[in-house]
Each structure stands twice: as structure tokens, then as C-alpha cells.
Amino acid sequence: TEQEINDFYLQNKQSFNTPAKVRASRVVILVDEKTSPADKAAKKKAIDKAHDRVVHGEDFAKVASEISEDRYSAPHGGDVNFFQRGENEPQFDNVAFSTPVGKVSAVFETPMGYQFLKVTDSHPAGQASVAEARAAISNYLRNKKMAAEEQVYTKKLLGDKQVIYHLVRVELPLALPSIMAGIR
């Protein structure tokens, strides 16, 4: 019922805290410890050139699709969706959470390589309202009630003289315990 949902929400309000989240798009040019100094310099020039294109008005998604070497985000115009702190490299998180919505960051380096990003949306930390949590609470309470009803029904069936429950002991072949030990 609505009352049960509201009561559950009030009793468990701390469970509905939500962390700050940011949505960003990025352009990445991959660099790692095996990249030669000459290649690294060329890749730095390439990311700077891509950054200049965006800063001078070219569509971020277009540049990301053409230039970014991130196989996940490039086909989506660089979009990496919403994330909270700790889901990415610390350098990426620091830039993403300090760049205002709608702004493009400077080029920065992470273990992945050279990149820059554009923050497209953000949600501050807060608490989900009872309306936002209603569906999840309703499902949880419904499942909890169903499990309790199943348990009562099972006990009733087992208590009924017409239903007989047989526990069968199965002996394992000698080789099976050693096989099972190898699986663990």
C-alpha cells in the first residue's frame, strides 16, 4: 500500500542517498609506456589540434567520432554517460568534477592517454524522493510478502497429514568428492 511504501521510505531514508554524478563526453588518443617519445609528441599534437577544433566551434560529437581512439565512447560522439567519483581514473574524475556543465576541459593525461572532455550534465549529491524510490520499494515489499506467504504455505503443506516429505540421502561415488574439491 502507499502507507507501507511511505513508512518503509521513512524508516530507511539513509538508504536512498545518491552521490554526485556527472555526464561527460571525451576525446582520447591512446598513449602508454611503450609509446616512443616521437610518437607521444605526435599524439600530443593530434589531441591539441582536436581540442582547438572544438574550442573554435566545431561539434564535439563530430570531433570525438572522427578522432577519439576510445572504442566505447567514440561511436557515441564521445559520450561516457553518467558516472560518480571512483568509476574512472582519478585524473579523469578530477577534471570531470571540476569542469562546469557545457564547458570543455583543457587537454590532460591519464594512464589511458591524452584526452579532453566536455561536461554535458550533472546531478548533485542528494537523496532520492519517495516518488523516485516508489517502484523499487514496491517491488522489494511485494517480493518480501510473497516469500513470507510461500513460507507459510509450505509449512501448512508440510503440517498437513496428507502431504509426506521424504528426505533422501544420496551417497556420492568415491571419485566425486575429489573432483568436486578440484572445482573449488
Side-chain angles (χ1 to χ4, degrees):
T1 66
E2 287 299 313
Q3 186 61 48
E4 289 171 311
I5 292 170
N6 290 334
D7 289 347
F8 183 87
Y9 178 81
L10 291 174
Q11 291 167 5
N12 299 281
K13 210 169 186 178
Q14 73 286 351
S15 299
F16 299 100
N17 289 338
T18 58
K21 290 187 176 189
V22 167
R23 183 172 194 159
S25 295
R26 69 179 175 187
V27 175
V28 178
I29 294 188
L30 302 174
V31 175
D32 61 23
E33 66 277 349
K34 296 176 188 172
T35 306
S36 72
D39 284 345
K40 193 170 180 179
K43 290 180 179 231
K44 177 70 166 93
K45 270 187 170 178
I47 195 79
D48 287 339
K49 185 176 177 183
H51 184 265
D52 286 345
R53 287 172 57 189
V54 170
V55 168
H56 289 99
E58 200 166 334
D59 181 56
F60 191 100
K62 178 180 180 270
V63 173
S65 296
E66 291 174 4
I67 304 299
S68 186
E69 295 175 349
D70 179 10
R71 290 181 288 160
Y72 167 74
S73 68
H76 306 286
D79 183 35
V80 294
N81 213 335
F82 279 97
F83 55 91
Q84 61 191 33
R85 257 189 208 281
E87 291 183 22
N88 298 291
E89 304 101 344
Q91 303 92 322
F92 183 85
D93 280 352
N94 289 340
V95 172
F97 281 88
S98 63
T99 301
V101 173
K103 300 294 181 184
V104 176
S105 75
V107 172
F108 59 98
E109 188 174 0
T110 70
M112 188 177 201
Y114 293 118
Q115 48 188 308
F116 64 93
L117 59 83
K118 179 178 183 178
V119 173
T120 55
D121 200 357
S122 71
H123 294 169
Q127 192 167 61
S129 68
V130 69
E132 294 166 327
R134 180 171 267 86
I137 294 170
S138 178
N139 286 337
Y140 172 79
L141 293 175
R142 183 180 309 108
N143 290 339
K144 189 175 172 183
K145 280 184 180 183
M146 285 174 50
E149 289 171 4
E150 288 170 2
Q151 191 173 27
V152 168
Y153 183 68
T154 302
K155 284 182 181 180
K156 179 186 177 300
L157 286 177
L158 293 175
D160 189 344
K161 301 294 184 217
Q162 296 176 2
V163 176
I164 301 170
Y165 176 73
H166 296 280
L167 179 62
V168 179
R169 183 180 170 115
V170 177
E171 294 292 327
L172 296 176
L174 291 177
L176 194 55
S178 62
I179 293 170
M180 295 300 286
I183 293 173
R184 293 181 191 138

